[in-house]
Amino acid sequence: MSEITYKYIRDYLMAIEPDDDIIIRTIRKDALNNNVPIIKSEVKNLLKWILATKKPSKVLEIGTAVAYSSIIMSDFIDTDGCITTIERSEDMIKKAKENIKKAGKEDVITLLEGDASDILSSIDDTFDVIFMDAAKGQYLTFLPECLRLLKKGGILICDNVLQNGTVAKSRFSVPRRQRTIHNRMREFLWELNHNKNFQTSILPIADGVTLSYKKY
C-alpha cells in the first residue's frame, strides 16, 4: 500500500507522541490485530486538537467501527456534551458496545444501529462537529445530510479522502474494480471545495482529511 506522506516522517511523529491511556491502546491493538480499519495517528491528534479548541456540545460520527475514534473524541467535548455515532455492521456494533462500556462512556456515546443512508434523514437535531469515516463511495450521498445537520460555524471532518493517493491519478491508472469509488471521491472533493456553504481545506496527512467550516 502506498503512502501519501514520507513513512520516515510518520514514524518520527508517532515516536514522539505522548502515550494514550490503556483503554485506547488496547482497542487500537485489538483493531489492528483483527484488520479493523481505524483512524491513523495523525487523524487522532487532529481530532483531539479540533475538539479541544472548539469544545463541541454535540458531535455526530458516521462510521463507528469499534468506537475507537468516538471514545477518543469523547474526552474533548464539552462537560455536558454527547456523541452520536452510526454503524451498520453487526460485528462492529457488538464490539463497539463492548468498548464503549469498557471505557465507561455509555452516558456520553449513543450508538445508532443501521445504514447511515436511512438514519441520517431521520435525525432532527444539529451538531457542532460531524466526523465522517464510513464507506468512501457514499461520502457524496451523505454530504447533503451533513450540510443539513451541521450548525452554522460547525466543522465537517472527512477521513481517507485521498485513497492512498490514487484519487489524484487518472481513473485508468486504478484497477477497474476501484474506479467507481475513485470517481465518486473525486466528485465529492470537487463538490466540497466548490460548495458556497463551506470553507474547505484538504490536508495531505495520513490518507487525506478534509476540514470544512460551515459559513452559512
Side-chain angles (χ1 to χ4, degrees):
M1 184 175 290
S2 61
E3 296 278 353
I4 64 170
T5 53
Y6 292 113
K7 184 178 184 301
Y8 76 91
I9 296 177
R10 294 192 67 236
D11 290 345
Y12 168 70
L13 295 177
M14 290 178 66
I16 63 173
E17 277 186 27
D19 289 336
D20 290 314
D21 65 43
I22 184 63
I23 292 176
I24 294 298
R25 294 203 307 270
T26 301
I27 294 173
R28 180 179 185 276
K29 181 179 179 180
D30 183 63
L32 294 177
N33 286 341
N34 289 284
N35 295 313
V36 175
I38 56 174
I39 56 172
K40 290 183 168 62
S41 178
E42 301 97 315
V43 180
K44 175 191 69 176
N45 291 326
L46 180 63
L47 288 178
K48 286 181 177 182
W49 189 90
I50 291 172
L51 270 65
T53 55
K54 191 169 181 64
K55 279 294 178 184
S57 294
K58 293 182 179 180
V59 175
L60 173 64
E61 179 184 49
I62 306 171
T64 314
V66 293
Y68 177 71
S69 50
S70 52
I71 291 171
I72 288 171
M73 290 190 291
S74 70
D75 286 332
F76 296 89
I77 59 177
D78 188 68
T79 304
D80 298 319
C82 60
I83 295 177
T84 301
T85 183
I86 303 171
E87 179 57 51
R88 67 179 182 179
S89 165
E90 292 184 4
D91 290 339
M92 293 296 101
I93 288 169
K94 180 181 178 181
K95 191 63 180 178
K97 287 181 175 179
E98 293 174 1
N99 288 334
I100 291 169
K101 183 176 182 179
K102 187 187 302 181
K105 301 291 185 175
E106 293 168 292
D107 295 334
V108 180
I109 301 172
T110 299
L111 175 57
L112 302 181
E113 304 176 26
D115 196 304
S117 298
D118 301 320
I119 292 175
L120 288 172
S121 61
S122 69
I123 296 177
D124 185 21
D125 202 351
T126 54
F127 299 86
D128 305 295
V129 172
I130 297 177
F131 177 51
M132 184 152 60
D133 188 19
K136 312 313 167 193
Q138 295 300 312
Y139 278 21
L140 187 62
T141 302
F142 297 155
L143 185 58
E145 290 295 344
C146 289
L147 180 58
R148 179 181 71 85
L149 295 170
L150 190 63
K151 293 179 182 177
K152 178 182 177 182
I155 300 174
L156 170 63
I157 309 164
C158 305
D159 197 15
N160 302 118
V161 298
L162 294 182
Q163 300 284 282
N164 298 306
T166 60
V167 75
K169 299 179 180 180
S170 163
R171 66 187 298 270
F172 299 107
S173 68
V174 300
R176 187 178 298 273
R177 66 182 182 280
Q178 296 176 10
R179 288 179 185 173
T180 298
I181 292 178
H182 176 272
N183 290 342
R184 290 186 64 80
M185 184 56 74
R186 286 176 69 108
E187 290 177 28
F188 169 74
L189 292 175
W190 177 270
E191 172 59 28
L192 199 57
N193 264 331
H194 291 82
N195 191 305
K196 65 180 182 180
N197 296 285
F198 288 123
Q199 182 64 50
T200 294
S201 177
I202 304 175
L203 306 181
I205 63 170
D207 193 21
V209 179
T210 59
L211 301 181
S212 302
Y213 172 83
K214 186 176 179 182
K215 299 184 289 185
Y216 311 111

